[in-house]
Amino acid sequence: MQKAVIAFTVFLSILLESAVFRFLPISGVVPNITMILVICFALHKEADEAAVIGLLAGLIKDITVGRIIGISAITFMILAFLTGHYNHKIF
């Protein structure tokens, strides 16, 4: 059940980011809701599980948005792993 909730929220964030926030820039900047969501998940998970969530979220974003496949996936995976790894030092 928890995996389904994570998948739904990642899909919803990508949908909102590409369909809604793309046309409503804040001071000319489009917020990256998916990256914020991956960081939030990484703060609550272990580093390995957070890296998998970041990788899958990035792959889904790369496939749906139509950019080069793998750029967001690698970025989100590294960001989630480092956030999950250093989580105990942050809080």
Side-chain angles (χ1 to χ4, degrees), residues 9-36:
T9 53
V10 166
F11 179 74
L12 184 64
S13 72
I14 292 170
L15 182 69
L16 284 173
E17 187 178 330
S18 63
V20 177
F21 292 119
R22 185 169 144 194
F23 299 109
L24 300 172
I26 301 168
S27 298
V29 178
V30 177
N32 195 341
I33 303 298
T34 310
M35 184 180 292
I36 296 169

Side-chain angles (χ1 to χ4, degrees), residues 32-55 57-58 61 70-87 90:
N32 195 341
I33 303 298
T34 310
M35 184 180 292
I36 296 169
L37 185 68
V38 166
I39 292 172
C40 289
F41 283 136
L43 289 173
H44 293 287
K45 304 286 183 188
E46 295 293 325
D48 298 337
E49 191 176 353
V52 171
I53 292 171
L55 177 70
K61 183 175 179 177
I71 298 296
S72 294
I74 293 172
T75 305
F76 289 176
M77 182 182 69
I78 292 170
L79 181 70
F81 180 79
L82 292 175
T83 304
H85 184 69
Y86 292 111
N87 183 17
I90 296 172

